[in-house]
Amino acid sequence: MIIIGCDFHTRFQQIAMLDPTTGEIIERRLEHENGEEEKFYATLPSPARVGMEATIHAPWFERMLRRYHHELWIGDAAEIRAARVRKQKTDSRDALHLQDLLLTNRFPQIWTPSPAERDVSQMLRHRHKLVRFRTSVMNQLHGLAISQGLCRKRKLWSRVGRRELEALALDPWASRRRQELLQLLNQLNPWIDDLDLADEKEAECRAAALHLMKEPAVGPVTALAFVLTIGPVSRFHRSKQVVSYLGLNPSEESSGASNDWVRSASKAAR
């Protein structure tokens, strides 16, 4: 099998490849815009194994490698950097370092979601952005209403509240702003409703999401997002690892004296 270390960038990639027949290390820079990288991988005997850092999300590159029956391994960027001995950092050295980790079975491969799971994640991300847009629109309309003495809070979005908002006497540009914000709100609501239905269907297809939805206050969106983010639970041995993976564990930087004070304060509180 051909082993390739790939230092991937948006416009190009620097590779270091071991030729299995001659044992020679081949270094090349492949441009993305002119299709040079596809021509290169199309001529390689399959399967080849390509290793790159988890830095840039490039599904097009993964699809291209799959089309030519090659493997793509994604490595933990922090562990890859920690394994680097030399301080000099260039594209060529990075590619050689990745290739060396692959050849010596030290490459820190990480779990990556399937293309279908990534696509569902895009749906969740799209819904999240639309909900934020809608919140911004509603806040602006609330501000217009309050500036005219109309304070209805949530009742502003009832039929009566909507009629009161539309009946406010505003200056020309404020009136246009109100009209266009209401049009945006009318457009965003059905889009978000459709995405909510899609979320429910996707959650119903996953046993883990259905199990999470049995917990109080956990709906289809939260359950589906958690399942897609965590992936296979078997890759976590302890709950602390899940907390760390999600970035929910607070960090502390303090001296020994500060730690002693914290411990004594904690004992006094107990």
Side-chain angles (χ1 to χ4, degrees), residues 8 52 57-68 70 72 74 112-115 118:
F8 194 89
M52 60 179 282
H57 182 51
W60 67 268
F61 183 55
E62 184 177 355
R63 287 195 300 268
M64 186 266 291
L65 291 178
R66 194 183 305 114
R67 186 163 59 249
Y68 297 112
H70 302 315
L72 178 63
I74 308 295
T112 55
S114 66
R118 288 200 192 103

Side-chain angles (χ1 to χ4, degrees), residues 111-112 117 227-236:
W111 169 81
T112 55
E117 290 172 332
V227 169
L228 292 176
T229 302
I230 292 298
V233 181
S234 57
R235 64 195 186 102
F236 299 101

